[in-house]
């Protein structure tokens, strides 16, 4: 029988230790300005969403600015669709929301349905800061 691939034993992915998580967070410092700061904030937000919210990459890529809601007591959430089109609410810590607000204020997306990670090629003059 040609073309058959043998079964390979799959191992569960390893989780980062708390120390490794802190090292990863420390590695995404935001110190620059302009376009550099924008990239640093984006990188920090990706790490925060993965570590603190447990979102998978595909879920992160589907978040729009309009799906993000701020909780009155701190933190927030985004309404997403999981596999099979099931609704899911991803929760965000206060620190994640603070980074998200700063990133949005730099990007100032024109539309709420714009994805978090889609950056327009030209800056808009009439950008709206996140509340």
């Amino acid at each position: 029988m040609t073309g058959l691939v043998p079964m390979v034993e799959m191992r569960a992915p390893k989780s980062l230790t708390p120390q490794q998580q802190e090292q990863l967070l420390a590695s995404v410092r935001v110190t620059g300005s302009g376009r550099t700061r924008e990239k640093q904030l984006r990188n920090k937000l990706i790490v925060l969403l993965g570590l603190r919210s447990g979102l998978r990459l595909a879920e992160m890529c589907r978040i729009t600015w309009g799906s993000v809601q701020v909780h009155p007591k701190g933190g927030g959430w985004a309404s997403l669709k999981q596999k099979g089109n099931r609704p899911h609410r991803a929760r965000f810590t206060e620190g994640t929301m603070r980074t998200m607000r700063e990133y949005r204020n730099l990007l100032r997306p024109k539309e709420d349905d714009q994805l978090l990670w889609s950056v327009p090629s030209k800056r808009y003059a009439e950008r709206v800061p996140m509340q």
Side-chain angles (χ1 to χ4, degrees):
M1 298 183 149
T2 58
L4 292 179
V5 179
M7 285 286 285
V8 178
E9 186 178 324
M10 299 291 289
R11 287 185 257 151
K14 292 183 180 179
S15 299
L16 295 177
T17 65
Q19 182 182 6
Q20 290 171 323
Q21 291 179 27
E22 292 309 315
Q23 288 174 338
L24 181 58
L25 279 173
S27 73
V28 288
R29 291 189 197 104
V30 180
T31 58
S33 62
R35 181 77 173 130
T36 301
R37 183 172 189 80
E38 189 177 300
K39 287 180 182 179
Q40 290 171 337
L41 279 168
R42 177 202 61 206
N43 295 345
K44 182 177 180 179
L45 187 55
I46 290 169
V47 169
L48 284 170
L49 288 172
L51 290 178
R52 303 291 189 242
S53 302
L55 290 176
R56 295 180 175 103
L57 182 59
E59 293 168 326
M60 285 185 216
C61 291
R62 288 193 301 261
I63 299 173
T64 63
W65 289 111
S67 70
V68 176
Q69 303 295 317
V70 179
H71 192 279
K73 294 183 179 180
W77 69 87
S79 298
L80 304 170
K81 298 284 184 185
Q82 287 184 320
K83 287 182 181 178
N85 214 21
R86 294 179 316 206
H88 169 65
R89 182 178 281 185
R91 296 183 191 331
F92 306 136
T93 63
E94 215 168 310
T96 301
M97 288 301 294
R98 192 172 29 257
T99 302
M100 196 177 291
R101 270 192 295 276
E102 189 176 351
Y103 181 58
R104 182 175 179 148
N105 289 340
L106 268 179
L107 288 181
R108 298 186 189 165
K110 195 172 183 180
E111 304 293 330
D112 273 350
D113 63 348
Q114 181 177 328
L115 297 170
L116 262 61
W117 319 115
S118 61
V119 180
S121 58
K122 294 182 179 180
R123 302 223 181 253
Y124 294 108
E126 64 277 354
R127 295 183 179 197
V128 180
M130 188 173 178
Q131 300 298 322

